[in-house]
Amino acid sequence: MKILDLSKIDLSKEAPEVEPERQYYFIAKARAILKKQEEEAGRKLTFCVTTFGCQMNARDSEKLTGILEQIGYIEEPEEEKADFVIFNTCTVRENANQRVYGRLGQLKRVKKTNPYMLIGLCGCMMQEPEVVEKLKKSYRFVDLIFGTHNIFKFAELAATRLESSRMVIDIWKDTDKIVENLPSERKFPFKSGVNIMFGCNNFCSYCIVPYVRGRERSREPEAIIEEIKRLVADGVVEVMLLGQNVNSYGKTLDNPITFAQLLKEIENIDDLKRIRFMTSHPKDLSDELIEVMAQSKKICRHLHLPVQSGSSRILKQMNRKYTKEQYLSLVEKLKTAIPDLSLTTDIIVGFPGETEEDFEETLDVVRKVRYDSAFTFIYSKRTGTPAAVMEEQVPEEIVKKRFHRLLTEVQRIAEEVCSVHEGSVQSVLVEAVNEQDPSLMTGRLSNNLLVHFPATSDIIGQLKEVKLTACKGFYYIGELI
Ligand code: SAH
Ligand code: SF4
Ligand code: F3S
C-alpha cells in the first residue's frame, strides 16, 4: 500500500510536522542512506522481522515490514543472515521475555561479522523500564529500541540510527494518538488483520497488557471501513478485526458506535467474504452482537471467548467482572442463537489462591461448554500487576499437575467436538500448500478448523466447497466438490 510518492519528497527541506507525511519524509531519507550503503557493500541489504505474542503484534510487524520494504530492504527469512533484524516482543508471560534474551545472545556473535547489521527491539517488553535498563547495560550492541505507542515513528527512528551510528532509544509512556495511512505489507494476499482499537482498560489483575499497551482507543469507523475497502480492492476476502476487547469498541469515540453496528457496516462491503474478530471479553458481549452474528452471512462461525477460570471466587480476584453462572448462561444464549458456532477460550491455571475446588470448577466449565479448542496457560507473575503481590502463590508442582489434567480434558473434548462435521460439505478459504505433502492444499473452515485436500496451488486465496471426508482429531482430510 503506497500512499505518497516518495520520489516527490524534497530531502533538502525540513521534515514536515504532520503525520503521516513526516514518516514518508524519513522513509525517503532512510532510502537515500541505504542506497549508499548498498553501493559500498556491493549488494542489496536485507531485513527480518521476528514476531512474538499476539495477533496485534503480528499486525504491527506487517507495518514494520511495509516501512522496511519502502526504505528498500529486501526480506530475508533467516534472522542470522539479515542486515536489519527486528524483534517485535511480547511480555504477557515470563517465558516470552526469556526467548528474546536468548535470541539476542545468538545475534551478538553474528553482528561481529557483519558491519552493516542493525538490531532493533520493539513491542510490549520495551514498555517495561527494567527491560530497557537491562538492555542499555548488558546489550550495548542493540541499535534501536522503541515501544508500542510510537511504532508509527519507526521510519524516523530508523533514519536517525542510519545517520548517527549511535543507539537510539525512544519509549513513550502512553498516547492518545492514532496515525493512519502508513505503509503496510501483508503476509497473506487474501486475508488481513485490521486494528479496530488499541490498548485495554480492563486491568484483569494478572495481566500486563494495559500497562504496556496503554488506554483503550478506538479507530474512527470511517478509517476502518476505508482500510477494509482498500484491502478488498487489493484482493483480500477475509478480515480479522483486532482489539484486546472488541466488544467495547467505539465507546470512547466522539460519536460513539457499538461493535455490532460496526460489524453491520463492514458486512455491507461488496466482495468481502469473511469477517472474523478477536478478542471478546464476556462481560461486554451484547445481545445486539449475538443478533448481528446470527443474521450475518459473512461473520465466521467462531467465537474466541476467554473464560480464564471457572471459579467465581477466582474470577472476582482476577477482576473479570462475571461469574461462572453468567459465563455459562452467555454460552447458552450464543449456542441457541447460533447453533453451529464454534467456541474457543483461554484458561489460566494456578492463579494465586486457586484451590483444588476452584480448579474443579474450571474443569466443569470445560465439560459444560465443550470448546473446539482452548489455549491453556500456567499463571505467570507479572511485576506491577495486582496479582503479583497476592499471597498464596500456588506451588509449581501442583500447578503443573492441574495444567496436565486440564490439557487432557480439553483435548479429549475438542476431538469429539471437531468430529461432528465429518461428511458435511463446507465453504473453505484455501490458504496454502500443505507443508508435509505438496499435493494437498490447506484451507480454513468458517469455524476456524483446517482441512487438507488434493488440489493445485492456483486456487489459493479462493473460497471453495470441500467435503470433509475424515476427521483426524483437530483437522480434516477432504475433497473438492
Ligand atoms: N485481551 C485478551 C487477552 C490478551 S492476553 C482477553 O482479555 O481475552 C492472552 C491470554 O494470555 C489471556 O487471555 C490470558 O489467558 C493469558 N494471560 C494473560 N496474562 C497472563 C499471565 N500473567 N499468566 C498467564 N497467562 C496470562
Ligand atoms: Fe489483559 Fe484483561 Fe485486557 Fe485481556 S481484557 S488484555 S486479559 S487486562
Ligand atoms: Fe504480548 Fe503485547 Fe500481545 S504483551 S500478547 S504482544 S499485546
Side-chain angles (χ1 to χ4, degrees), residues 200-204 206-210 244-245 281 308 320:
C200 179
N201 284 352
N202 290 305
F203 291 95
C204 302
Y206 49 82
C207 184
I208 200 162
V209 171
Q244 294 298 351
N245 176 14
H281 195 307
Q308 311 299 0
R320 290 290 288 181

Short mmCIF file of all heavy atoms in Angstrom, two decimals, residues 200-204 206-210 244-245 281 308 320, ligand 2:
data_model
loop_
_atom_site.label_atom_id
_atom_site.label_comp_id
_atom_site.label_asym_id
_atom_site.label_seq_id
_atom_site.Cartn_x
_atom_site.Cartn_y
_atom_site.Cartn_z
N CYS A 200 -6.04 -1.29 26.34
CA CYS A 200 -7.04 -2.01 27.12
C CYS A 200 -7.29 -1.30 28.45
O CYS A 200 -6.34 -0.82 29.08
CB CYS A 200 -6.57 -3.45 27.40
SG CYS A 200 -7.75 -4.38 28.38
N ASN A 201 -8.55 -1.22 28.86
CA ASN A 201 -8.90 -0.55 30.12
C ASN A 201 -9.36 -1.52 31.19
O ASN A 201 -9.89 -1.10 32.20
CB ASN A 201 -10.04 0.45 29.88
CG ASN A 201 -9.55 1.71 29.20
OD1 ASN A 201 -8.34 1.91 29.05
ND2 ASN A 201 -10.46 2.57 28.80
N ASN A 202 -9.21 -2.82 30.96
CA ASN A 202 -9.87 -3.75 31.87
C ASN A 202 -9.08 -4.11 33.12
O ASN A 202 -9.67 -4.48 34.13
CB ASN A 202 -10.25 -5.02 31.12
CG ASN A 202 -11.37 -4.72 30.15
OD1 ASN A 202 -12.42 -4.21 30.56
ND2 ASN A 202 -11.16 -4.97 28.88
N PHE A 203 -7.78 -4.05 33.05
CA PHE A 203 -6.96 -4.33 34.22
C PHE A 203 -7.34 -5.63 34.92
O PHE A 203 -7.60 -5.64 36.13
CB PHE A 203 -7.00 -3.15 35.21
CG PHE A 203 -6.28 -1.94 34.67
CD1 PHE A 203 -6.98 -0.92 34.01
CD2 PHE A 203 -4.90 -1.82 34.80
CE1 PHE A 203 -6.31 0.19 33.51
CE2 PHE A 203 -4.24 -0.71 34.30
CZ PHE A 203 -4.94 0.30 33.64
N CYS A 204 -7.42 -6.71 34.18
CA CYS A 204 -7.52 -8.02 34.82
C CYS A 204 -6.28 -8.13 35.71
O CYS A 204 -5.19 -7.73 35.29
CB CYS A 204 -7.54 -9.13 33.78
SG CYS A 204 -8.91 -8.93 32.61
N TYR A 206 -4.10 -10.14 36.70
CA TYR A 206 -2.87 -10.88 36.36
C TYR A 206 -2.16 -10.28 35.16
O TYR A 206 -1.04 -10.66 34.84
CB TYR A 206 -3.23 -12.34 36.00
CG TYR A 206 -4.38 -12.42 35.00
CD1 TYR A 206 -4.14 -12.27 33.64
CD2 TYR A 206 -5.69 -12.57 35.42
CE1 TYR A 206 -5.17 -12.27 32.72
CE2 TYR A 206 -6.73 -12.58 34.51
CZ TYR A 206 -6.47 -12.43 33.17
OH TYR A 206 -7.50 -12.42 32.27
N CYS A 207 -2.79 -9.34 34.47
CA CYS A 207 -2.39 -9.04 33.09
C CYS A 207 -1.61 -7.74 32.95
O CYS A 207 -1.97 -6.70 33.49
CB CYS A 207 -3.64 -8.98 32.21
SG CYS A 207 -3.26 -8.73 30.48
N ILE A 208 -0.56 -7.78 32.16
CA ILE A 208 0.34 -6.64 32.00
C ILE A 208 -0.05 -5.78 30.78
O ILE A 208 0.44 -4.65 30.63
CB ILE A 208 1.80 -7.15 31.89
CG1 ILE A 208 2.78 -6.02 32.20
CG2 ILE A 208 2.08 -7.78 30.53
CD1 ILE A 208 4.16 -6.49 32.53
N VAL A 209 -0.94 -6.32 29.94
CA VAL A 209 -1.25 -5.63 28.67
C VAL A 209 -1.70 -4.17 28.86
O VAL A 209 -1.21 -3.29 28.15
CB VAL A 209 -2.28 -6.45 27.84
CG1 VAL A 209 -2.79 -5.65 26.65
CG2 VAL A 209 -1.65 -7.75 27.38
N PRO A 210 -2.60 -3.85 29.81
CA PRO A 210 -3.00 -2.45 29.95
C PRO A 210 -1.83 -1.52 30.27
O PRO A 210 -1.85 -0.34 29.93
CB PRO A 210 -4.00 -2.47 31.12
CG PRO A 210 -4.49 -3.87 31.18
CD PRO A 210 -3.34 -4.73 30.74
N GLN A 244 -8.02 -5.79 21.99
CA GLN A 244 -7.96 -6.59 23.22
C GLN A 244 -9.35 -6.92 23.74
O GLN A 244 -9.54 -7.91 24.44
CB GLN A 244 -7.15 -5.89 24.31
CG GLN A 244 -5.68 -5.73 24.00
CD GLN A 244 -4.95 -7.06 23.84
OE1 GLN A 244 -5.49 -8.12 24.11
NE2 GLN A 244 -3.73 -6.99 23.36
N ASN A 245 -10.30 -6.06 23.43
CA ASN A 245 -11.68 -6.30 23.85
C ASN A 245 -12.60 -5.66 22.83
O ASN A 245 -13.11 -4.56 23.04
CB ASN A 245 -11.90 -5.72 25.26
CG ASN A 245 -13.33 -5.87 25.71
OD1 ASN A 245 -14.11 -6.62 25.11
ND2 ASN A 245 -13.69 -5.16 26.75
N HIS A 281 -14.38 -9.97 25.25
CA HIS A 281 -14.48 -10.12 26.70
C HIS A 281 -15.94 -10.47 27.04
O HIS A 281 -16.85 -9.74 26.64
CB HIS A 281 -14.07 -8.83 27.39
CG HIS A 281 -13.80 -8.97 28.85
ND1 HIS A 281 -14.71 -9.55 29.72
CD2 HIS A 281 -12.72 -8.64 29.61
CE1 HIS A 281 -14.19 -9.55 30.94
NE2 HIS A 281 -12.98 -9.01 30.89
N GLN A 308 -10.84 -17.79 31.36
CA GLN A 308 -9.71 -17.64 32.32
C GLN A 308 -9.82 -18.58 33.52
O GLN A 308 -8.84 -19.22 33.89
CB GLN A 308 -9.56 -16.19 32.81
CG GLN A 308 -9.54 -15.12 31.72
CD GLN A 308 -8.42 -15.24 30.70
OE1 GLN A 308 -7.60 -16.13 30.77
NE2 GLN A 308 -8.41 -14.37 29.71
N ARG A 320 -12.44 -10.03 36.55
CA ARG A 320 -13.02 -10.29 35.22
C ARG A 320 -14.47 -9.78 35.11
O ARG A 320 -15.02 -9.72 34.02
CB ARG A 320 -12.97 -11.80 34.90
CG ARG A 320 -11.57 -12.31 34.64
CD ARG A 320 -11.00 -11.80 33.33
NE ARG A 320 -11.64 -12.42 32.18
CZ ARG A 320 -11.30 -12.15 30.91
NH1 ARG A 320 -10.33 -11.28 30.65
NH2 ARG A 320 -11.92 -12.73 29.90
FE1 SF4 B 2 -5.41 -8.36 29.71
FE2 SF4 B 2 -7.86 -8.46 30.65
FE3 SF4 B 2 -7.17 -6.52 28.95
FE4 SF4 B 2 -7.39 -9.01 28.10
S1 SF4 B 2 -9.05 -7.74 28.90
S2 SF4 B 2 -5.74 -7.60 27.66
S3 SF4 B 2 -6.69 -10.21 29.83
S4 SF4 B 2 -6.40 -6.82 31.03
#
